């Protein structure tokens, strides 16, 4: 989505944001956006870790069942 935005487009977006929000609010908005991105990244990493752990447990159980069937 953002890969098609070039440097001129980015500059235009920043100028519009500066006009709308003003120079005092822009750093606050940037900080809030950064915090939101970090929190989202932490949440998705936690979910990915949970899924990986479940898959490992399922593989371990499947291997154990395979060993039991050979006996």
């Amino acid at each position: 989505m953002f890969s098609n935005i070039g440097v001129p487009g980015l500059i235009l977006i920043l100028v519009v944001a500066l006009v709308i929000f003003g120079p005092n609010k822009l750093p606050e908005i940037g900080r809030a956006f950064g915090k939101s991105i970090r929190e989202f990244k932490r949440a998705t990493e936690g979910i990915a870790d949970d899924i990986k752990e479940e898959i490992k447990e399922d593989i371990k159980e499947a291997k154990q069942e395979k060993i039991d069937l050979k006996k």
Side-chain angles (χ1 to χ4, degrees):
M1 181 173 132
F2 292 110
S3 63
N4 295 335
I5 297 177
V7 174
L10 222 78
I11 292 172
L12 179 65
I13 291 170
L14 289 174
V15 168
V16 169
L18 185 61
V19 169
I20 291 173
F21 298 111
N24 294 334
K25 283 284 186 185
L26 216 50
E28 293 174 24
I29 293 170
R31 271 187 237 107
F33 183 71
K35 285 181 183 179
S36 299
I37 295 293
R38 279 192 300 271
E39 190 63 34
F40 178 76
K41 190 174 181 180
R42 283 188 198 127
T44 55
E45 286 175 356
I47 292 170
D49 290 342
D50 291 344
I51 291 171
K52 287 177 186 177
E53 189 64 34
E54 288 291 325
I55 290 172
K56 285 180 184 178
E57 289 175 10
D58 289 345
I59 290 172
K60 189 184 290 186
E61 288 175 9
K63 285 181 181 178
Q64 185 63 35
E65 288 177 8
K66 184 179 178 182
I67 292 171
D68 290 343
L69 290 175
K70 285 184 179 181
K71 290 182 180 181

